Amino acid sequence: MAEKSINIASWPCLSNGLHYNWLVDYAVFSAFGTFELSAEEWEKRDLIVNFKGNSELTTEIDHQQAVDKAIDLVSSFLKAVFSEKEGATNSHSTLSQLTLVCLPASTRKHTDRRFRKFSEQVCAATSMQNAYNAFSFTTTKDEEGDEVDTLHIDETFFQGKHVILFDDIIASGGSIVRFAEKLEKSGAKVIAALALERKFQTDTTITNSDY
């Protein structure tokens, strides 16, 4: 993992001014292109694919190993950011004052798979408060009979909370911005956002037009 600044004020900002950071770069490519990546770059891509656990190629062992690695990476980084011993200059010097909010996925199943164990163990390691149970889903069926999960937020839980937002991957950051706005309307103060990986365009991308 590349060296990351532990001073939140030096982190880049999203469109709403929220500071954010990420731990691993995720190489992307065009839908009709091919590319060459190093073994390390493929390993980074596999981390997020296996963490999400959506791919048919992801085994349960692969998923659990990715979740465990993410727990270690995120816990270690957060403890460095908010540790006075590391020279951090952030307004909240102790993680016990902060609440971890993992951005829910589009379905109850995916949210549970990715974030239940992750949030529990990151909070156990850092003494942060876990907001996982402040979110719930109701399931209905659409006109075609497909299940649709609707997210509900316990707004009273977030009143006065100081929040670190976490998402598995960030591109434009739009989903983080929108979710931060929801939480702040509920009375929370969002301190910063953190992602496991951030998408970037690899220089080794070769598109069909190059042939």
Side-chain angles (χ1 to χ4, degrees):
M1 183 178 70
E3 187 70 23
K4 298 288 185 180
S5 172
I6 60 174
N7 185 0
I8 290 177
S10 70
W11 293 3
C13 292
L14 297 173
S15 60
N16 65 344
L18 179 66
H19 290 285
Y20 76 103
N21 214 329
W22 67 98
L23 302 181
V24 179
D25 290 326
Y26 178 91
V28 299
F29 58 100
S30 64
F32 301 102
T34 59
F35 64 179
E36 295 179 358
L37 295 179
S38 66
E40 181 182 3
E41 288 170 324
W42 277 116
E43 183 179 354
K44 291 175 180 179
R45 282 181 57 87
D46 287 343
L47 173 61
I48 196 66
V49 170
N50 292 335
F51 180 88
K52 284 178 172 292
N54 295 345
S55 172
E56 294 179 354
L57 300 178
T58 298
T59 67
E60 186 59 27
I61 292 176
D62 290 336
H63 173 64
Q64 293 301 328
Q65 288 178 340
V67 171
D68 288 342
K69 183 171 184 179
I71 290 167
D72 181 60
L73 287 172
V74 172
S75 299
S76 297
F77 183 69
L78 287 172
K79 285 189 283 188
V81 169
F82 293 97
S83 170
E84 293 180 354
K85 293 181 181 179
E86 295 288 344
T89 58
N90 303 305
S91 58
H92 293 272
S93 60
T94 61
L95 284 165
S96 62
Q97 297 173 307
L98 302 177
T99 299
L100 178 67
V101 175
C102 297
L103 268 71
S106 59
T107 67
R108 184 203 311 265
K109 177 181 178 181
H110 288 161
T111 300
D112 183 82
R113 183 165 170 76
R114 297 173 194 172
F115 297 126
R116 179 181 292 277
K117 174 184 174 181
F118 172 85
S119 62
E120 287 176 353
Q121 295 201 12
V122 168
C123 289
T126 62
S127 299
M128 296 177 74
Q129 186 169 2
N130 187 0
Y132 183 87
N133 290 327
F135 303 103
S136 60
F137 290 88
T138 55
T139 304
T140 57
K141 291 188 176 182
D142 61 20
E143 295 179 353
E144 298 179 354
D146 295 325
E147 290 188 347
V148 178
D149 287 340
T150 301
L151 175 68
H152 303 280
I153 301 175
D154 180 0
E155 295 185 353
T156 59
F157 173 86
F158 289 102
Q159 293 177 7
K161 293 292 194 296
H162 291 81
V163 166
I164 298 293
L165 279 176
F166 176 81
D167 204 359
D168 44 28
I169 192 165
I170 186 171
S172 67
S175 59
I176 289 176
V177 168
R178 291 188 293 272
F179 206 77
E181 291 174 350
K182 288 183 180 180
L183 295 183
E184 290 183 339
K185 288 179 180 178
S186 299
K189 179 177 177 59
V190 181
I191 304 301
L194 180 65
L196 181 59
E197 301 200 11
R198 183 189 180 191
K199 292 183 179 180
F200 78 99
Q201 190 73 34
T202 174
D203 292 336
T204 56
T205 299
I206 304 174
T207 64
N208 289 340
S209 62
D210 294 321
Y211 285 94

PDB file of all heavy atoms in Angstrom, residues 78-93:
ATOM      1  N   LEU A  78      -6.933   3.777   9.915  1.00  0.00           N
ATOM      2  CA  LEU A  78      -7.704   4.652  10.785  1.00  0.00           C
ATOM      3  C   LEU A  78      -6.976   4.906  12.099  1.00  0.00           C
ATOM      4  O   LEU A  78      -6.967   6.032  12.619  1.00  0.00           O
ATOM      5  CB  LEU A  78      -9.082   4.050  11.061  1.00  0.00           C
ATOM      6  CG  LEU A  78     -10.068   4.106   9.893  1.00  0.00           C
ATOM      7  CD1 LEU A  78     -11.324   3.297  10.216  1.00  0.00           C
ATOM      8  CD2 LEU A  78     -10.444   5.551   9.565  1.00  0.00           C
ATOM      9  N   LYS A  79      -6.337   3.886  12.639  1.00  0.00           N
ATOM     10  CA  LYS A  79      -5.599   4.069  13.883  1.00  0.00           C
ATOM     11  C   LYS A  79      -4.407   4.993  13.676  1.00  0.00           C
ATOM     12  O   LYS A  79      -4.057   5.774  14.570  1.00  0.00           O
ATOM     13  CB  LYS A  79      -5.158   2.707  14.447  1.00  0.00           C
ATOM     14  CG  LYS A  79      -6.315   1.937  15.078  1.00  0.00           C
ATOM     15  CD  LYS A  79      -5.854   0.710  15.822  1.00  0.00           C
ATOM     16  CE  LYS A  79      -5.517  -0.432  14.899  1.00  0.00           C
ATOM     17  NZ  LYS A  79      -5.256  -1.690  15.662  1.00  0.00           N
ATOM     18  N   ALA A  80      -3.785   4.954  12.501  1.00  0.00           N
ATOM     19  CA  ALA A  80      -2.685   5.869  12.206  1.00  0.00           C
ATOM     20  C   ALA A  80      -3.186   7.298  12.063  1.00  0.00           C
ATOM     21  O   ALA A  80      -2.577   8.248  12.563  1.00  0.00           O
ATOM     22  CB  ALA A  80      -1.964   5.431  10.935  1.00  0.00           C
ATOM     23  N   VAL A  81      -4.319   7.461  11.381  1.00  0.00           N
ATOM     24  CA  VAL A  81      -4.869   8.802  11.140  1.00  0.00           C
ATOM     25  C   VAL A  81      -5.240   9.495  12.439  1.00  0.00           C
ATOM     26  O   VAL A  81      -5.018  10.700  12.611  1.00  0.00           O
ATOM     27  CB  VAL A  81      -6.101   8.722  10.211  1.00  0.00           C
ATOM     28  CG1 VAL A  81      -6.850  10.052  10.168  1.00  0.00           C
ATOM     29  CG2 VAL A  81      -5.678   8.322   8.806  1.00  0.00           C
ATOM     30  N   PHE A  82      -5.798   8.745  13.381  1.00  0.00           N
ATOM     31  CA  PHE A  82      -6.302   9.355  14.612  1.00  0.00           C
ATOM     32  C   PHE A  82      -5.431   9.050  15.828  1.00  0.00           C
ATOM     33  O   PHE A  82      -5.894   9.076  16.955  1.00  0.00           O
ATOM     34  CB  PHE A  82      -7.743   8.910  14.852  1.00  0.00           C
ATOM     35  CG  PHE A  82      -8.686   9.443  13.823  1.00  0.00           C
ATOM     36  CD1 PHE A  82      -9.052   8.675  12.731  1.00  0.00           C
ATOM     37  CD2 PHE A  82      -9.184  10.738  13.925  1.00  0.00           C
ATOM     38  CE1 PHE A  82      -9.908   9.179  11.757  1.00  0.00           C
ATOM     39  CE2 PHE A  82     -10.034  11.247  12.957  1.00  0.00           C
ATOM     40  CZ  PHE A  82     -10.403  10.466  11.871  1.00  0.00           C
ATOM     41  N   SER A  83      -4.161   8.768  15.583  1.00  0.00           N
ATOM     42  CA  SER A  83      -3.243   8.503  16.685  1.00  0.00           C
ATOM     43  C   SER A  83      -2.317   9.693  16.881  1.00  0.00           C
ATOM     44  O   SER A  83      -1.613  10.104  15.970  1.00  0.00           O
ATOM     45  CB  SER A  83      -2.415   7.239  16.395  1.00  0.00           C
ATOM     46  OG  SER A  83      -1.377   7.107  17.336  1.00  0.00           O
ATOM     47  N   GLU A  84      -2.306  10.259  18.084  1.00  0.00           N
ATOM     48  CA  GLU A  84      -1.406  11.368  18.380  1.00  0.00           C
ATOM     49  C   GLU A  84       0.054  10.931  18.277  1.00  0.00           C
ATOM     50  O   GLU A  84       0.926  11.720  17.925  1.00  0.00           O
ATOM     51  CB  GLU A  84      -1.694  11.910  19.775  1.00  0.00           C
ATOM     52  CG  GLU A  84      -3.052  12.581  19.894  1.00  0.00           C
ATOM     53  CD  GLU A  84      -3.310  13.107  21.289  1.00  0.00           C
ATOM     54  OE1 GLU A  84      -2.475  12.830  22.168  1.00  0.00           O
ATOM     55  OE2 GLU A  84      -4.340  13.781  21.481  1.00  0.00           O
ATOM     56  N   LYS A  85       0.291   9.668  18.547  1.00  0.00           N
ATOM     57  CA  LYS A  85       1.662   9.164  18.474  1.00  0.00           C
ATOM     58  C   LYS A  85       2.199   9.213  17.054  1.00  0.00           C
ATOM     59  O   LYS A  85       3.396   9.293  16.834  1.00  0.00           O
ATOM     60  CB  LYS A  85       1.726   7.723  18.999  1.00  0.00           C
ATOM     61  CG  LYS A  85       1.441   7.592  20.488  1.00  0.00           C
ATOM     62  CD  LYS A  85       1.538   6.151  20.933  1.00  0.00           C
ATOM     63  CE  LYS A  85       1.226   6.009  22.418  1.00  0.00           C
ATOM     64  NZ  LYS A  85       1.299   4.599  22.871  1.00  0.00           N
ATOM     65  N   GLU A  86       1.288   9.118  16.069  1.00  0.00           N
ATOM     66  CA  GLU A  86       1.716   9.158  14.675  1.00  0.00           C
ATOM     67  C   GLU A  86       1.826  10.596  14.171  1.00  0.00           C
ATOM     68  O   GLU A  86       2.123  10.831  13.004  1.00  0.00           O
ATOM     69  CB  GLU A  86       0.696   8.394  13.809  1.00  0.00           C
ATOM     70  CG  GLU A  86       0.622   6.904  14.110  1.00  0.00           C
ATOM     71  CD  GLU A  86       1.846   6.167  13.628  1.00  0.00           C
ATOM     72  OE1 GLU A  86       2.597   6.720  12.824  1.00  0.00           O
ATOM     73  OE2 GLU A  86       2.062   5.028  14.083  1.00  0.00           O
ATOM     74  N   GLY A  87       1.531  11.560  15.018  1.00  0.00           N
ATOM     75  CA  GLY A  87       1.643  12.942  14.602  1.00  0.00           C
ATOM     76  C   GLY A  87       0.454  13.458  13.830  1.00  0.00           C
ATOM     77  O   GLY A  87       0.538  14.467  13.129  1.00  0.00           O
ATOM     78  N   ALA A  88      -0.672  12.796  13.946  1.00  0.00           N
ATOM     79  CA  ALA A  88      -1.870  13.244  13.243  1.00  0.00           C
ATOM     80  C   ALA A  88      -2.340  14.565  13.821  1.00  0.00           C
ATOM     81  O   ALA A  88      -2.211  14.832  15.011  1.00  0.00           O
ATOM     82  CB  ALA A  88      -2.971  12.197  13.375  1.00  0.00           C
ATOM     83  N   THR A  89      -2.883  15.409  12.972  1.00  0.00           N
ATOM     84  CA  THR A  89      -3.350  16.735  13.407  1.00  0.00           C
ATOM     85  C   THR A  89      -4.829  16.881  13.131  1.00  0.00           C
ATOM     86  O   THR A  89      -5.284  17.896  12.643  1.00  0.00           O
ATOM     87  CB  THR A  89      -2.563  17.841  12.684  1.00  0.00           C
ATOM     88  OG1 THR A  89      -2.713  17.678  11.264  1.00  0.00           O
ATOM     89  CG2 THR A  89      -1.097  17.801  13.045  1.00  0.00           C
ATOM     90  N   ASN A  90      -5.595  15.860  13.433  1.00  0.00           N
ATOM     91  CA  ASN A  90      -7.019  15.862  13.142  1.00  0.00           C
ATOM     92  C   ASN A  90      -7.812  16.298  14.371  1.00  0.00           C
ATOM     93  O   ASN A  90      -7.381  16.119  15.507  1.00  0.00           O
ATOM     94  CB  ASN A  90      -7.449  14.472  12.673  1.00  0.00           C
ATOM     95  CG  ASN A  90      -6.653  14.040  11.459  1.00  0.00           C
ATOM     96  OD1 ASN A  90      -6.612  14.744  10.468  1.00  0.00           O
ATOM     97  ND2 ASN A  90      -5.996  12.896  11.557  1.00  0.00           N
ATOM     98  N   SER A  91      -8.984  16.866  14.122  1.00  0.00           N
ATOM     99  CA  SER A  91      -9.753  17.465  15.199  1.00  0.00           C
ATOM    100  C   SER A  91     -10.271  16.435  16.194  1.00  0.00           C
ATOM    101  O   SER A  91     -10.514  16.752  17.348  1.00  0.00           O
ATOM    102  CB  SER A  91     -10.928  18.265  14.626  1.00  0.00           C
ATOM    103  OG  SER A  91     -11.764  17.437  13.844  1.00  0.00           O
ATOM    104  N   HIS A  92     -10.444  15.189  15.758  1.00  0.00           N
ATOM    105  CA  HIS A  92     -10.899  14.127  16.664  1.00  0.00           C
ATOM    106  C   HIS A  92      -9.727  13.182  16.891  1.00  0.00           C
ATOM    107  O   HIS A  92      -9.371  12.383  16.037  1.00  0.00           O
ATOM    108  CB  HIS A  92     -12.085  13.373  16.061  1.00  0.00           C
ATOM    109  CG  HIS A  92     -13.310  14.225  15.952  1.00  0.00           C
ATOM    110  ND1 HIS A  92     -14.217  14.348  16.968  1.00  0.00           N
ATOM    111  CD2 HIS A  92     -13.759  15.016  14.957  1.00  0.00           C
ATOM    112  CE1 HIS A  92     -15.190  15.167  16.599  1.00  0.00           C
ATOM    113  NE2 HIS A  92     -14.926  15.584  15.389  1.00  0.00           N
ATOM    114  N   SER A  93      -9.111  13.277  18.067  1.00  0.00           N
ATOM    115  CA  SER A  93      -7.879  12.535  18.307  1.00  0.00           C
ATOM    116  C   SER A  93      -8.123  11.092  18.709  1.00  0.00           C
ATOM    117  O   SER A  93      -7.196  10.299  18.708  1.00  0.00           O
ATOM    118  CB  SER A  93      -7.048  13.241  19.396  1.00  0.00           C
ATOM    119  OG  SER A  93      -7.787  13.313  20.601  1.00  0.00           O
TER     120      SER A  93
END
